[in-house]
Structure formats: C-alpha cells, structure tokens
Amino acid sequence: MFQKVLISEDMDDINAGVLTALSELEIATIDQAQYCDDADLKAKKARKDNAPYELLITDLSFKKDHREEKLKSGEELVAKLKSDQPDIKVIVYSVEDKLQQVRRLFNKYKIDAYVCKGRKSLKELVKAIKTVANGKTHLSPEVKMALSNKKDMEIDDYDIGLLKLLSKGLNQDEISEDLKGRSISPNSLSSIEKRVSKLKIYFKANNAVHLIANAKDLGLI
C-alpha cells in the first residue's frame, strides 16, 4: 500500500469525504491542497526532502477565485507532476465522464485510474487505490469504454473535420456538398447523418450544439 499520498481538491466536503474513505487504508501520510499550484509546491518539497509522494489523487476542475494560478486545472497538474516525477501514480477523481478526455489522460499522461464522482464513488476510490497499488489500472463503469480497442469507438481526422464544419454552422446537406467539392469520402448525406449520430453517442451529446460544446471543451476543435 502507498505510504504517502497527495490529494488535490478544492471542495472542503469532498476533501473530508476522501480523507474519511482513505482512513481504512494504512497510509502513513495524506496531504491535501486546494490549489493546483500548492499541490505542485508540496510535490516539489517532498522530492527535495527525498520523500516524494507515491500517489496523486486529483480533480480536473477547480473553481476560479481571486488568486492567480499558473496551473489552472487538474490536467495541467498531472502533466507537471508526471514531467517532474514520471513514476508517480495518478488517480483522477472527477464528475467528468467524457470518453475522449479519459482516453487522452491515459494515453498522454499515463494515469493509473479514473473514478467518476457519484453516490458510491468513495468506496470505488478506495478500490481504485488498492488496484493501483497492485500495479493495475482502474476505470469507473461509466467510462470503461474509453480504453476500448473497438474501431467504432475511435475518433479520426474525418470526425474532427465533421465537427469543425458543424461548428461553422453548416447543416448536413451543406457538409455533404463541401466534402464532395474537396473529394473527401464518405460524403453522402446518409453517411454523414450516421457519423454525426455516432459522435453524439460518443460524446454523450443531446444535439449538435451540445456536441460542438463538448468537442470544444476537449480541445478537439
């Protein structure tokens, strides 16, 4: 089991809940930070003292206030700590359940677990810690498909192109004409309709506006 853990979370009630949940584990040191910059400073000091943190548990979203921060999100914190200390284990604990975002965190930053916040998520977080301590990865059921190898779950350049055209206000008929004019296939109206429907499911979007908003949130367009 881990002996030194850092929690980065800005909500007091969630911090308290995580501490209570982790009390059943035999962890010698559990430190907390409500700002990503503070978490980074704690991690730096720990490394300087030759007693680095073994595990980071972090949210992704942090509410802005009067304080100016260099690291403005959990993802930026993960990137920074992984750069400074590649062997640190990371569990993301967040309300976000967008598959593409989860996939990016695993592939780009090599995180070890992703736990979706919910009614029973604290128990799952404890389970995730035990799993990661044993050298394995953990994903909440809601985002399990993020690491699927199925081809139909992949977002490719064609999909990104469709999202960009939708973001410009083009309807599906206009997109079809645009693709035909640039000799990009598939370009039939039916194929575009099917692809857009797939993207809505993938990004859990209710409509085209919601789809574009989610894609922008992930930095895809």
Side-chain angles (χ1 to χ4, degrees):
M1 181 49 63
F2 299 108
Q3 292 303 304
K4 193 167 185 178
V5 176
L6 176 60
I7 301 170
S8 182
E9 167 65 59
D10 61 349
M11 303 299 289
D12 289 336
D13 55 341
I14 295 177
N15 261 323
V18 172
L19 275 176
T20 299
L22 268 59
S23 64
E24 70 176 72
L25 304 173
E26 295 180 358
I27 300 174
T29 303
I30 302 175
D31 292 329
Q32 296 173 288
Q34 290 187 303
Y35 294 89
C36 292
D37 283 357
D38 288 348
D40 183 36
L41 288 174
K42 286 178 181 287
K44 284 181 180 177
K45 185 178 186 304
R47 291 194 300 273
K48 184 178 179 181
D49 294 340
N50 293 317
Y53 290 102
E54 300 164 281
L55 172 66
L56 168 69
I57 301 173
T58 184
D59 196 354
L60 291 178
S61 301
F62 289 76
K63 193 172 182 179
K64 293 181 180 179
D65 60 15
H66 62 281
R67 178 170 163 175
E68 186 64 30
E69 293 288 298
K70 291 181 180 179
L71 301 176
K72 297 179 173 60
S73 70
E75 182 169 341
E76 291 182 10
L77 174 63
V78 171
K80 182 65 166 59
L81 263 60
K82 275 290 188 178
S83 175
D84 295 337
Q85 186 184 338
D87 63 342
I88 191 171
K89 300 294 184 180
V90 176
I91 295 177
V92 171
Y93 185 49
S94 172
V95 296
E96 298 288 343
D97 59 1
K98 297 170 184 174
L99 300 184
Q100 187 72 5
Q101 184 177 38
V102 176
R103 184 198 301 270
R104 184 178 68 251
L105 289 167
F106 272 94
N107 291 342
K108 187 173 182 179
Y109 304 113
K110 309 303 179 185
I111 69 170
D112 301 277
Y114 195 103
V115 178
C116 294
K117 290 179 180 177
R119 287 188 176 89
K120 298 181 180 180
S121 60
L122 287 174
K123 289 183 179 180
E124 187 187 347
L125 179 59
V126 171
K127 179 181 178 181
I129 293 171
K130 293 177 180 178
T131 300
V132 172
N134 287 323
K136 299 178 182 179
T137 58
H138 175 93
L139 290 92
S140 288
E142 301 95 317
V143 295
K144 203 81 172 179
M145 292 299 292
L147 300 185
S148 170
N149 291 320
K150 293 182 179 180
K151 187 177 179 180
D152 61 357
M153 292 304 297
E154 296 293 339
I155 300 299
D156 54 27
D157 291 339
Y158 179 85
D159 294 312
I160 300 299
L162 282 185
L163 291 169
K164 288 180 178 178
L165 292 173
L166 285 170
S167 71
K168 293 178 180 178
L170 276 65
N171 60 39
Q172 293 182 14
D173 285 313
E174 291 169 332
I175 290 174
S176 176
E177 291 302 313
D178 180 273
L179 296 180
K180 289 176 181 177
R182 292 185 286 142
S183 299
I184 296 176
S185 296
N187 52 38
S188 67
L189 182 58
S190 61
S191 64
I192 292 169
E193 289 174 343
K194 290 178 181 177
R195 203 70 170 231
V196 171
S197 294
K198 186 200 81 167
L199 289 171
K200 287 179 181 177
I201 294 172
Y202 187 92
F203 289 104
K204 298 184 179 181
N206 300 320
N207 50 50
V209 174
H210 192 193
L211 172 62
I212 297 306
N214 287 350
K216 286 183 176 179
D217 285 345
L218 295 176
L220 294 176
I221 56 176

Short mmCIF file of all heavy atoms in Angstrom, two decimals, residues 35 37-38 41 64-69:
data_model
loop_
_atom_site.label_atom_id
_atom_site.label_comp_id
_atom_site.label_asym_id
_atom_site.label_seq_id
_atom_site.Cartn_x
_atom_site.Cartn_y
_atom_site.Cartn_z
N TYR A 35 -5.40 24.15 -4.20
CA TYR A 35 -4.97 24.80 -5.44
C TYR A 35 -3.93 23.92 -6.12
O TYR A 35 -3.08 23.31 -5.45
CB TYR A 35 -4.36 26.17 -5.16
CG TYR A 35 -5.33 27.20 -4.62
CD1 TYR A 35 -5.54 27.31 -3.24
CD2 TYR A 35 -6.03 28.05 -5.48
CE1 TYR A 35 -6.43 28.26 -2.74
CE2 TYR A 35 -6.91 29.00 -4.98
CZ TYR A 35 -7.11 29.10 -3.61
OH TYR A 35 -7.99 30.02 -3.12
N ASP A 37 -1.38 24.83 -7.89
CA ASP A 37 -0.03 25.36 -7.63
C ASP A 37 0.50 24.89 -6.28
O ASP A 37 1.68 24.57 -6.13
CB ASP A 37 -0.04 26.89 -7.68
CG ASP A 37 -0.08 27.43 -9.10
OD1 ASP A 37 -0.05 26.62 -10.05
OD2 ASP A 37 -0.14 28.67 -9.26
N ASP A 38 -0.39 24.86 -5.28
CA ASP A 38 0.03 24.39 -3.95
C ASP A 38 0.39 22.91 -3.98
O ASP A 38 1.34 22.48 -3.32
CB ASP A 38 -1.10 24.62 -2.93
CG ASP A 38 -1.27 26.10 -2.60
OD1 ASP A 38 -0.39 26.91 -2.97
OD2 ASP A 38 -2.28 26.45 -1.96
N LEU A 41 3.81 22.66 -5.42
CA LEU A 41 4.82 23.07 -4.44
C LEU A 41 5.06 21.98 -3.39
O LEU A 41 6.21 21.71 -3.01
CB LEU A 41 4.40 24.36 -3.76
CG LEU A 41 4.47 25.64 -4.61
CD1 LEU A 41 3.88 26.82 -3.86
CD2 LEU A 41 5.92 25.93 -5.00
N LYS A 64 -12.40 29.07 -10.09
CA LYS A 64 -11.54 30.25 -10.05
C LYS A 64 -11.96 31.19 -8.92
O LYS A 64 -13.12 31.31 -8.60
CB LYS A 64 -11.63 31.01 -11.38
CG LYS A 64 -11.06 30.25 -12.57
CD LYS A 64 -11.18 31.09 -13.84
CE LYS A 64 -10.62 30.34 -15.03
NZ LYS A 64 -10.74 31.14 -16.29
N ASP A 65 -10.97 31.82 -8.32
CA ASP A 65 -11.27 32.86 -7.33
C ASP A 65 -10.29 34.01 -7.52
O ASP A 65 -9.76 34.21 -8.62
CB ASP A 65 -11.24 32.29 -5.90
CG ASP A 65 -9.88 31.70 -5.53
OD1 ASP A 65 -8.89 31.98 -6.23
OD2 ASP A 65 -9.80 30.97 -4.52
N HIS A 66 -10.04 34.79 -6.47
CA HIS A 66 -9.19 35.98 -6.58
C HIS A 66 -7.73 35.63 -6.84
O HIS A 66 -6.96 36.47 -7.31
CB HIS A 66 -9.27 36.77 -5.26
CG HIS A 66 -8.76 36.00 -4.08
ND1 HIS A 66 -9.53 35.04 -3.44
CD2 HIS A 66 -7.56 36.02 -3.45
CE1 HIS A 66 -8.82 34.52 -2.44
NE2 HIS A 66 -7.63 35.10 -2.43
N ARG A 67 -7.34 34.42 -6.55
CA ARG A 67 -5.94 34.03 -6.64
C ARG A 67 -5.55 33.65 -8.07
O ARG A 67 -6.25 32.87 -8.73
CB ARG A 67 -5.69 32.86 -5.68
CG ARG A 67 -4.27 32.31 -5.72
CD ARG A 67 -4.07 31.34 -4.58
NE ARG A 67 -2.89 30.50 -4.78
CZ ARG A 67 -2.42 29.64 -3.89
NH1 ARG A 67 -3.03 29.51 -2.73
NH2 ARG A 67 -1.36 28.91 -4.15
N GLU A 68 -4.44 34.18 -8.53
CA GLU A 68 -3.93 33.87 -9.87
C GLU A 68 -3.09 32.60 -9.80
O GLU A 68 -2.16 32.49 -9.00
CB GLU A 68 -3.08 35.02 -10.41
CG GLU A 68 -2.63 34.83 -11.85
CD GLU A 68 -3.78 34.80 -12.84
OE1 GLU A 68 -4.81 35.44 -12.58
OE2 GLU A 68 -3.63 34.12 -13.88
N GLU A 69 -3.43 31.63 -10.64
CA GLU A 69 -2.75 30.34 -10.61
C GLU A 69 -2.01 30.07 -11.92
O GLU A 69 -2.49 30.41 -13.00
CB GLU A 69 -3.78 29.21 -10.40
CG GLU A 69 -4.45 29.22 -9.06
CD GLU A 69 -3.50 28.77 -7.96
OE1 GLU A 69 -3.02 27.64 -7.99
OE2 GLU A 69 -3.22 29.60 -7.07
#
